[in-house]
Amino acid sequence: MSQAHGTIVQTIGAVIDIEFPREAMPKIYDALVLEDSGNALAEKGLTFEVEQQLGDGVVRTIALGSSDGLQRGMKVRNTGRPISVPVGVGTLGRIMDVLGRPIDEAGPIQSEELRSIHAPAPKFDELSPSSSCSRPASRSST
């Protein structure tokens, strides 16, 4: 199934409104990607996240990168899924951005599983206690 394409209709800083066909309106938290338009000023492959459905096929998004160079009429593709990042042992000690791209200059992140950044938090009783952090000594004021 091919993903729906939309068109930028308004830009206000990092807030971007994008129009899609009504029957193909993206869901909240869907990741959208800027199509290559040959515009050297716009960030190639810029990712947007849908935050609100305004109606009539228009969604309000947040640009997850520089919105410099964006113009009305530029094409955007819906990925049909939320932003997902690598999880697991391969991510331990690594630094990545919100899109899951490594920013610590240590090469690609080795992980077989991706999870949505909007996944629910684990329940309290599913967490395992850890004693790796020690509490600071209390200070007395004498």
Side-chain angles (χ1 to χ4, degrees), residues 5 13 23 42 76 82 106:
H5 286 74
E23 66 278 359
V76 175

Side-chain angles (χ1 to χ4, degrees), residues 98-120:
V98 73
L99 299 173
R101 299 180 297 211
I103 57 175
D104 57 5
E105 300 179 5
I109 295 174
Q110 302 300 318
S111 174
E112 295 179 14
E113 185 180 358
L114 297 175
R115 287 194 193 159
S116 167
I117 61 171
H118 296 288

Side-chain angles (χ1 to χ4, degrees), residues 79-102:
T79 64
R81 51 188 160 63
I83 295 169
S84 298
V85 297
V87 295
V89 176
T91 64
L92 295 176
R94 299 298 307 271
I95 303 171
M96 64 184 105
D97 66 10
V98 73
L99 299 173
R101 299 180 297 211

Side-chain angles (χ1 to χ4, degrees), residues 23-77:
E23 66 278 359
M25 194 162 151
K27 299 179 295 208
I28 302 293
Y29 299 139
D30 271 1
L32 313 177
V33 178
L34 182 67
E35 295 284 296
D36 188 12
S37 64
N39 183 342
L41 299 176
E43 184 180 321
K44 291 186 183 354
L46 177 62
T47 301
F48 306 90
E49 183 181 62
V50 176
E51 303 299 335
Q52 185 178 15
Q53 295 175 330
L54 301 176
D56 289 334
V58 179
V59 293
R60 181 151 289 161
T61 68
I62 297 294
L64 300 175
S66 174
S67 61
D68 292 344
L70 293 180
Q71 300 171 351
R72 286 188 302 246
M74 293 178 112
K75 300 295 181 195
V76 175
R77 177 180 47 87

